[in-house]
Amino acid sequence: MPRSFLVKTHSGHRVPNYGQLERQRETNGACSACGGLVVPLVLPDKAAPSTPGDPPRPWDFTSVVAHVSLPLPTFLCNEEARGASGPDPLEVSLADPRAGRAPGAPLRDSLQHLGLPPLLALPTRWPPVLGADGRAPHTPGGFRTPAALARHQQLQCHLQAQRRFACKSCDKEYGSLGALKMHIRTHTLPCLCAVCGKAFSRPWLLQGHIRTHTGEKPYTCPHCSRAFADRSNLRAHLQTHSDTKKYQCKRCAKTFSRVALLARHEESSCCAP
DNA sequence: CTGGGGATGGGGCCC
DNA sequence: AGGGCCCCATCCCCA
């Protein structure tokens, strides 16, 4: 059996000393070539006695040190992991220090080559050094505990809700950069009328204005054949043909075709109780 | 005072 | 990301 990837065994004490391994990692646990981690790995020990049918016992495993090309996240933030090409948890290479470099074959292939079941066990305590927020370094979206992930997602949700895009020319704020850019055009007025020089914020506003010069009225009322240059004005006109006006006075129940007419009525002329 | 046309502004959505 | 479009709103003016 080719076991050239084995660089350390714990024949004296079957249970690996993770504290020692972690101290080793802190001192020289990073791969000098790619910065990946060198972590303890538990593989079945074919030499250990085992009873068929019995669950494997700790002493049935041999702990080795393996080269992991990327640290494995424990809990992923969906938002941050989306779009990121994170490593397949099984795409882990085993290092052979005697060869001087990682063999390149994924751990899954190595285990299969050895006739071993895929990834019997990764040690439960091989965490990389974690930040104060529980996030594993070099692992976008990776967290050590569900609680750390939940805290992170709650914070991200809060920050997203708080994110506003403010206009520097006035005090308006918007929820997206696109909305802010659209608003900024109302200050810059980049669309100029070639006839009178009047400036507009958007091209279609300029087009509507140009119709005042050309007299074009492309929107025709189907009831009276009256034509309009603006669709909104046609819509307002259509209200005049309607029996039921859209806006109604709450005091006298009189209806109006426009909200402005209703407001004017309520402010000045409505005397009903 | 009322009704309505004309012109324009601006946010949001879709492609 | 940007343009086109929709919809709503507002102001001005006139009959």
Side-chain angles (χ1 to χ4, degrees):
Chain A
M1 175 185 294
R3 305 187 72 176
S4 60
F5 59 88
L6 297 180
V7 294
K8 184 174 183 177
T9 63
H10 296 268
S11 56
H13 46 289
R14 295 287 186 180
V15 179
N17 184 340
Y18 288 115
Q20 177 187 353
L21 291 173
E22 283 192 43
R23 283 192 297 276
Q24 286 179 346
R25 183 202 171 280
E26 290 172 2
T27 54
N28 58 357
C31 172
S32 59
C34 69
L37 302 179
V38 176
V39 299
L41 186 66
V42 181
L43 294 175
D45 190 343
K46 290 291 183 70
S50 62
T51 306
D54 289 350
R57 294 158 296 184
W59 49 84
D60 290 336
F61 293 86
T62 296
S63 112
V64 300
V65 173
H67 171 280
V68 181
S69 56
L70 285 172
L72 301 180
T74 309
F75 300 96
L76 289 178
C77 170
N78 291 335
E79 285 301 315
E80 295 188 11
R82 184 177 299 137
S85 55
D88 181 336
L90 294 186
E91 295 297 322
V92 177
S93 299
L94 301 181
D96 182 357
R98 285 171 294 185
R101 60 187 299 275
L107 173 59
R108 184 191 351 247
D109 296 342
S110 299
L111 295 176
Q112 186 177 10
H113 179 71
L114 296 174
L116 300 175
L119 204 63
L120 268 178
L122 273 175
T124 56
R125 291 190 64 245
W126 68 280
V129 177
L130 302 175
D133 60 349
R135 180 194 289 268
H138 320 302
T139 311
F143 294 88
R144 184 69 180 87
T145 67
L149 173 60
R151 280 195 303 272
H152 164 77
Q153 289 178 330
Q154 197 172 15
L155 176 62
Q156 292 302 309
C157 183
H158 177 71
L159 291 177
Q160 184 67 28
Q162 292 291 317
R163 195 173 187 188
R164 306 292 293 172
F165 295 87
C167 175
K168 294 180 180 178
S169 301
C170 65
D171 58 354
K172 287 200 172 182
E173 288 186 347
Y174 297 89
S176 71
L177 183 58
L180 173 60
K181 284 184 176 180
M182 187 67 68
H183 164 75
I184 289 175
R185 295 175 72 99
T186 67
H187 295 302
T188 58
L189 300 176
C191 306
L192 292 178
C193 175
V195 178
C196 66
K198 188 172 171 63
F200 296 87
S201 60
R202 297 186 230 180
W204 63 267
L205 277 174
L206 173 59
Q207 288 178 1
H209 166 76
I210 288 177
R211 291 195 195 107
T212 67
H213 294 302
T214 63
E216 180 190 7
K217 296 182 176 181
Y219 304 100
T220 305
C221 174
H223 303 289
C224 65
S225 298
R226 190 182 178 115
F228 298 86
D230 185 82
R231 189 194 301 268
S232 293
N233 290 337
L234 169 61
R235 190 179 299 112
H237 167 76
L238 287 174
Q239 273 286 303
T240 67
H241 291 295
S242 175
D243 291 335
T244 57
K245 302 291 191 297
K246 192 175 180 180
Y247 306 97
Q248 184 176 38
C249 176
K250 290 173 180 154
R251 289 182 284 182
C252 69
K254 188 175 182 180
T255 58
F256 299 87
S257 59
R258 299 183 187 189
V259 67
L261 295 177
L262 170 61
R264 194 163 65 183
H265 163 79
E266 288 181 334
E267 287 176 5
S268 61
S269 61
C270 182
C271 55

